[in-house]
Amino acid sequence: MPEPEAPAGARRPGFATALFLGRPETDPLTGPAGDPRRLRPAEERFLARLRDFCEKEVDSAAIERADRVPDEVVEGLKDLGALAIRLPRRYGGLGLSTHCYLRALMLTSTTHPALSELLAAHQAIGLIQPLLLFGSDEQKRAFLPRCVREISAFALTEADIGNDPFRMHTTAVYDPASDSYVLDGVKTWTTNGVVADLLVVMAVVPAGESGAGGMTAFVVEADAPGVTVERRNSFLGLRGLENGCVRLHRVVVPAGNRIGAEGEGLAIALAAQDTGRLSLPAVSAAAAKWSLRIARQWSAARVQFGRPIARHDAVAGKVSFIAATAFALEALVEVIARRAAAGDTDTRLDAELAKLFASEQAWVVADELVQLRGGRGYETAESAVARGERGVPVEQLLRDVRVGRIFDGSSEALRAFLAHDLVEAHRAATGERDPRSRQGTPHAGNDPDAARAAAAGAGRGGDVLDGHLEFVVRTSRRIARELAMVAAESGPEGEGLDGRQRFLGRIVDVGAELYAMSASCVHARALGGADGSPAELADAFCRQARLRVAESLARLGENTDAADRAVTGHVLDGRYTWLEEGVVDVSVDGPWIAEQRPGPATGPSLRRVIRPAGAAKAGHPSGETTRRTP
């Protein structure tokens, strides 16, 4: 059955909330009986067609060289329905599940990450998700069928926003005479903005005749008068990403194109990002799975000192880490996607925690794979082919996954946001009781058998994974006590938390490890006797995670936070400018943050129009599809 457009009614707290409150129970993570890898026949058929297309029709090396996804590839994805995987059938979409969507991203991201970014930016944070969650019936009928073949983009970020949307400068002024809004502003990094047909634009409406005002979301036609793509941005990785700087100058948008009410824009953005944050763990898991394949093949083929390098202990540790982490990341994606699809659980914190953990671990995996490959890991695939060897784009992987720690909320911002929400959860849960008591928190409980009971909740006791699940419960209760004390010591609006970001960040990191451990154990048991002994992989991951947890917990009491703050203050005061001498600064002069004032464009639009290969246009008999419009 297709998934509902949006969950109805109240939803229970997710596993992440329970984990940080000291009462993790793995039952909510457990899915229905049967092989969790199996999808519905229609979904399996779609993924098979997508895989065939990626393997036969996409030249990933050509995308990397040209820094562009060919039009015929984009059209092929449209023909497959890949732009509307989860869009309900009544709007022309495929109506497939979140699991299918995430596995499609895994296929496309390992073909070339520009493909998965194109699909995810369109379906997760582009027009589809905001309209499904907040759009009127009329808006859904008007715009959602177009999303089957027309590309959408989400225009939020500005040069001075970062993770603080309240600094937004783009405005939308209501004109009662025409019942429309006039938008002015500049959006700096709009993924899909260069090729989009439809934009979701976030703008601030001044309070006035139209309502309360505030941050508001609008559907904007990309070819509307006043919309200009000023430049196509370039990055360290993600070649082929159609990310651009979009200017809006006196763009008239009908009031009927406003999504939700005035002032609901932030809620709409956050709700859309919840789905988007499941996309990044899926892509991170795919990167780890691909890394495992390369690590296995290379470490078996490469012989040093008379035996394959994987048989040397130092390399064996890297291979085991990659394998265990790939399993854990896939388990995270599986269990959270299942809960999100059910619609009865608030998985916002779960998705944020998964995004944080998966993006951080994918970076470590990629770095270890480069090290394992040695000089060949640093060499480009194209260079290796020229020398007559197999081209393996490991250095490209390192460049591509690095942005995961920045995109969609940096790791530092997510730790701060999660910590704030979790402290508030403790404040609400504690009520009138004093959390300073080291005898335990009222919501964690003091039953000595709690850990054993929670471990058995996964459905089978007595195996090696029980010990890991008991560790999860014990450690969960410890970090719950720490958070409860912070909640008691901080102000009612979270005053005082800013100076403890690193302390709280370590608690969040511990919780992320515990979540991944729980997901790994649950997923391993669901797989049962499948080939490859999943329990061995879960056990390996949990052993590695417990060492990382121990380090983070030790640094709660012994750390350099205060000294680091002092040094940073002196650096900013200019005390150590002498240390900067003796080097050459090749930076190009200019402001650190460019002031991008609203106003007319200074040049033609660089918007790129996608059309089927060979479709000629007046003035472009060759079918050239890049246009520059005044």
Side-chain angles (χ1 to χ4, degrees), residues 459-488:
R460 186 196 309 169
D463 62 22
V464 67
L465 301 185
D466 277 350
H468 296 311
L469 290 172
E470 290 176 10
F471 173 85
V472 167
V473 176
R474 290 196 306 271
T475 310
S476 167
R477 296 175 66 190
R478 176 174 175 181
I479 61 176
R481 290 194 296 269
E482 297 286 353
L483 284 170
M485 292 195 60
V486 172

Side-chain angles (χ1 to χ4, degrees), residues 66-400:
D67 190 18
R68 175 161 291 177
V69 178
D71 292 355
E72 56 268 25
V73 171
V74 179
E75 288 298 322
L77 292 171
K78 293 178 182 179
D79 293 340
L80 287 169
L83 267 64
I85 297 172
R86 293 182 305 138
L87 184 65
R89 290 178 178 272
R90 62 179 171 277
Y91 301 118
L94 299 182
L96 303 179
S97 68
T98 296
H99 269 89
C100 183
Y101 165 71
L102 295 176
R103 291 187 189 179
L105 293 184
M106 296 174 80
L107 286 174
T108 52
S109 68
T110 46
T111 304
H112 195 282
L115 303 182
S116 58
E117 288 297 328
L118 171 74
L119 299 180
H122 169 67
Q123 295 178 82
I125 60 172
L127 187 58
I128 293 178
Q129 194 67 9
L131 278 190
L132 286 177
L133 294 175
F134 296 92
S136 66
D137 289 340
E138 183 180 357
Q139 289 172 335
K140 292 175 182 178
R141 289 193 299 269
F143 293 112
L144 289 179
R146 294 176 57 183
C147 292
V148 176
R149 297 198 68 87
E150 296 185 50
I151 298 170
S152 64
F154 187 70
L156 168 67
T157 308
E158 298 177 11
D160 199 28
I161 284 184
N163 290 297
D164 183 3
F166 295 101
R167 297 174 65 90
M168 184 174 293
H169 299 297
T170 299
T171 59
V173 179
Y174 180 68
D175 176 20
S178 61
D179 192 26
S180 62
Y181 292 82
V182 179
L183 274 60
D184 282 281
V186 181
K187 299 298 184 179
T188 307
W189 293 295
T190 303
T191 298
N192 283 358
V194 183
V195 297
D197 303 285
L198 295 163
L199 304 171
V200 178
V201 177
M202 306 299 296
V204 176
V205 178
E209 291 184 39
S210 60
M215 193 184 306
T216 307
F218 298 89
V219 182
V220 178
E221 300 281 354
D223 60 356
V227 179
T228 306
V229 178
E230 292 198 319
R231 64 166 285 108
R232 182 176 183 267
N233 301 317
S234 300
F235 302 98
L236 171 70
L238 294 183
R239 306 280 170 81
L241 183 71
E242 295 291 359
N243 181 291
C245 181
V246 180
R247 179 177 292 275
L248 302 108
H249 176 59
R250 300 198 60 78
V251 179
V252 178
V253 179
N257 283 24
R258 186 190 67 217
I259 306 175
E262 288 184 7
E264 290 186 346
L266 183 58
I268 292 171
L270 291 175
Q273 285 181 326
D274 287 349
T275 304
R277 288 194 174 118
L278 288 179
S279 303
L280 272 167
V283 169
S284 298
K289 288 161 67 73
W290 182 85
S291 297
L292 176 60
R293 172 174 293 184
I294 300 304
R296 173 181 59 81
Q297 294 174 343
W298 169 249
S299 62
R302 177 66 163 164
V303 175
Q304 292 283 277
F305 305 107
R307 53 181 170 166
I309 59 173
R311 301 300 180 184
H312 294 279
D313 194 52
V315 175
K318 297 183 185 302
V319 175
S320 175
F321 166 75
I322 293 172
T325 304
F327 180 80
L329 296 189
E330 184 168 66
L332 264 181
V333 172
E334 289 290 323
V335 300
I336 297 179
R338 186 182 302 117
R339 294 277 18 113
D344 60 353
T345 303
D346 182 357
T347 56
R348 181 176 63 85
L349 295 186
D350 299 57
E352 289 182 354
L353 204 63
K355 186 272 179 186
L356 169 66
F357 183 78
S359 60
E360 290 285 337
Q361 291 301 308
W363 166 252
V364 180
V365 165
D367 185 58
E368 289 285 48
L369 183 62
V370 169
Q371 190 70 18
L372 193 152
R373 284 273 289 165
R376 291 171 173 85
Y378 196 69
E379 184 182 25
T380 66
E382 193 171 38
S383 174
V385 171
R387 291 191 298 99
E389 289 190 2
R390 181 176 181 177
V392 185
V394 172
E395 59 82 27
Q396 179 191 332
L397 175 72
L398 194 71
R399 289 187 286 104
D400 290 337

Side-chain angles (χ1 to χ4, degrees), residues 37 49 98 104 175 248 279 294 300 321 423 440 537-538 560 609 618 628:
R37 297 172 298 182
R49 292 195 302 271
T98 296
D175 176 20
L248 302 108
S279 303
I294 300 304
F321 166 75
V423 167
L537 290 171
T560 62
V609 180
R628 299 171 66 91

